[in-house]
Every structure is written in structure tokens, then in C-alpha cells.
Amino acid sequence: MKLKTALSLALKKPPRTSDEFEKLPKHVAIIMDGNGRWAKKHKLNVSRGHRQGTETLREIIRHTDDLGIGALSLYAFSTENWNRSEEEVAALMQLILDFFASEIDELDAKNVRILILGDKSRLPEKQRETLIEAENRTRKNTGLRLNIAVNYGGRAELVMAAKEIATLVRNGDIRAEEITEQTISDHLYTRGQPDVDLLIRTSGEQRLSNFLLYQNAYAEFVFPTVLWPDFTVHDYDQALDAFAHRNRRFGGRV
Ligand code: IPE
Ligand code: IPE
Ligand code: MG
């Protein structure tokens, strides 16, 4: 482990043992849930809840990078979230622009590589361009892999992979018998990245809501009850500590 990482870890609370340093997940996925309830609790408009949620987002990305975790996948907007009011969808779309406008320089400077998970073609043009620009600008970066799911659905992703693989078979590039689990992985948005080790969903809900269905096959789940805008680096550390104490067996008997 890099000295810088070890030092920054040593400064975090709760303190970790050196054994736990090695037990950090390689890939963390977060379902950032509870913005609406947070807004309601504070008698604010739902868009204020989402805006507050982006403050949490900044902190959590920074902390993930400080810890030296390799990949972070964040659920920002699902294929089902189009079902919300026009006003709320517009607020979320605006937040995407604001987030990248304020963060992209720092993320790029920190060598973060951004990847958008999801179908960008259905997004408004400005958002689509902003996301593509962020991907292109950071494409050669070699630090934290930051995956942001926008208009993402796990089932839609599997349909996309099936279509791509079917095309390869039709063109004679591979034979149907040669399709393996790796072939499927290689046609997901997250291709080349490790599967999710730790999935965190805030706000007490305990479901996947169509997030990274294939990649979460053997993930450990942690469900803090805190609402996303109230989720702190300390809560994140607690989830990481819980992960460090899990006994992952992958079907074996270890
Ligand atoms: C999660 O917060 C953010 C998005 C879905 C974009 P919610 O808006 O779902 O918050 P709750 O579940 O209504 O509290
Ligand atoms: C999942 O949260 C999507 C995101 C966090 C972006 P939702 O709040 O939309 O999920 P459900 O509707 O409670 O399952
Ligand atoms: Mg929700």
C-alpha cells in the first residue's frame, strides 16, 4: 500500500488495524437514497434535498480517493426515475450540469477517471455533452475509477450486452458455445473493472432497484438508515469496517 494512503488511513476514525487496511473493498457501489425524505423532514422542496445530496457526494468521492479504493459506482439517476415529476427530473438534470462544472477540474487533477454507466442517448443534449466531455477529458487518468450511473438500469444493461454479443455471433466473430460469464462482463458498462465488493444503500431501504445486477452477484450489502444528505465520512468508515469483518465465502467453505 502507498505510504500516502496508509497515512491518510491512519488519520481516519474509527482507527483501523493494519489487517483492515488490506480488507478494503476494491469496488464500492452506492445507492444514494433518501434525498426526498430529507427534504420533507426539513420542510424543503425536494430539489433542495437533491442539492444537499451532492454535498455528501463530494465528500464521499474525496474520501474514497484518499483511501486508495480502486472503483466507486454511484447511482445518480435510474431508468425508472423518469417517472418522477417534470420539475424534479429537471432539477436532477440541472444538478448533473452543476456537479460537473464545479468538480471536473479537481477530479481530473486528482487523476480520477470518469465513466458514465447508462444510456446517454435519452438525455438532454447539454447533459449528454457534459458527460461525454467528462469521460473524454479523464479517459487517460489512472487513479480512482469513478462510475456515475445516469439513466442506468441493470436489466437494460444486460439487454445491451445480449444484443452486442448476438451481433458478434451473427457476424461469426465468436461461436455461441464460446460465450462465458467473462463474455457478458466484457459487454457491460463496467467492463475491465472488478465486480462490486461492497454495496451501500442509505435511507434504510433494502433493495437493489435495478443497480448493477450482474456486478453485485457476490457483493456484501450494508444498509445504513441515515438519509443520503446526512451520510458522513464517519458513516462511510463504519460501512467499510463492517465490510472488513464480513466472512466472504463465494460458495466455498473457508
Ligand atoms: C435518491 O433520493 C436520489 C434519486 C433517486 C435521484 P430519493 O429522491 O429517492 O429520496 P427518497 O427515497 O424520496 O427519500
Ligand atoms: C434508486 O433509488 C435510484 C437512485 C438512487 C438513483 P429510488 O428511490 O429511485 O428507488 P426506489 O424507487 O425506492 O426503488
Ligand atoms: Mg428513493
Side-chain angles (χ1 to χ4, degrees), residues 140-193:
K140 295 211 171 78
N141 289 351
T142 54
L144 170 68
R145 303 281 318 240
L146 179 61
N147 307 314
I148 304 185
V150 183
N151 190 26
Y152 172 87
R155 288 183 170 185
E157 180 181 36
L158 288 167
V159 169
M160 172 192 76
K163 284 181 178 163
E164 284 182 15
I165 296 167
T167 305
L168 291 178
V169 173
R170 191 185 55 207
N171 294 345
D173 295 326
I174 59 166
R175 288 184 297 125
E177 308 79 74
E178 290 169 348
I179 296 170
T180 62
E181 292 183 7
Q182 188 61 44
T183 318
I184 310 240
S185 295
D186 289 345
H187 287 84
L188 301 176
Y189 292 115
T190 51
R191 66 187 69 103
Q193 299 189 42

Side-chain angles (χ1 to χ4, degrees), residues 31-33 75-78 81 84 201 207 209:
I31 302 178
M32 312 181 284
D33 201 10
Y75 210 2
F77 192 90
S78 75
N81 286 148
R84 299 194 178 188
R201 181 172 190 152
R207 54 178 172 270
S209 300

Side-chain angles (χ1 to χ4, degrees), residues 5-134:
T5 312
L7 280 174
S8 70
L9 266 169
L11 295 170
K12 305 293 170 197
K13 284 177 184 167
R16 295 161 196 281
T17 64
S18 60
D19 184 38
E20 281 169 3
F21 289 156
E22 302 308 321
K23 287 188 175 167
L24 280 173
K26 291 189 173 61
H27 187 168
V28 177
I30 306 182
I31 302 178
M32 312 181 284
D33 201 10
N35 295 348
R37 276 160 284 171
W38 185 91
K40 202 167 172 193
K41 195 172 108 186
H42 294 272
K43 298 192 169 52
L44 295 166
N45 189 289
V46 65
S47 60
R48 267 292 283 117
H50 292 310
R51 185 163 294 282
Q52 196 63 33
T54 60
E55 297 300 323
T56 305
L57 185 61
R58 272 185 250 280
E59 295 298 314
I60 295 307
I61 294 172
R62 216 166 276 159
H63 193 55
T64 308
D65 187 44
D66 287 346
L67 292 175
I69 291 170
L72 174 66
S73 294
L74 300 165
Y75 210 2
F77 192 90
S78 75
T79 47
E80 288 74 35
N81 286 148
W82 296 108
N83 295 327
R84 299 194 178 188
S85 73
E86 215 174 290
E87 192 189 350
E88 184 173 354
V89 171
L92 286 164
M93 291 297 142
Q94 183 58 43
L95 276 180
I96 291 175
L97 299 183
D98 296 348
F99 175 79
F100 282 98
S102 71
E103 299 305 302
I104 189 68
D105 287 343
E106 183 182 333
L107 292 171
D108 190 23
K110 283 185 161 172
N111 199 23
V112 173
R113 179 170 171 187
I114 294 164
L115 180 71
I116 305 304
L117 315 179
D119 180 4
K120 293 191 279 287
S121 71
R122 214 192 134 181
L123 297 172
E125 197 177 331
K126 252 198 199 162
Q127 279 71 11
R128 192 168 57 241
E129 281 172 2
T130 300
L131 297 178
I132 292 172
E133 208 177 287

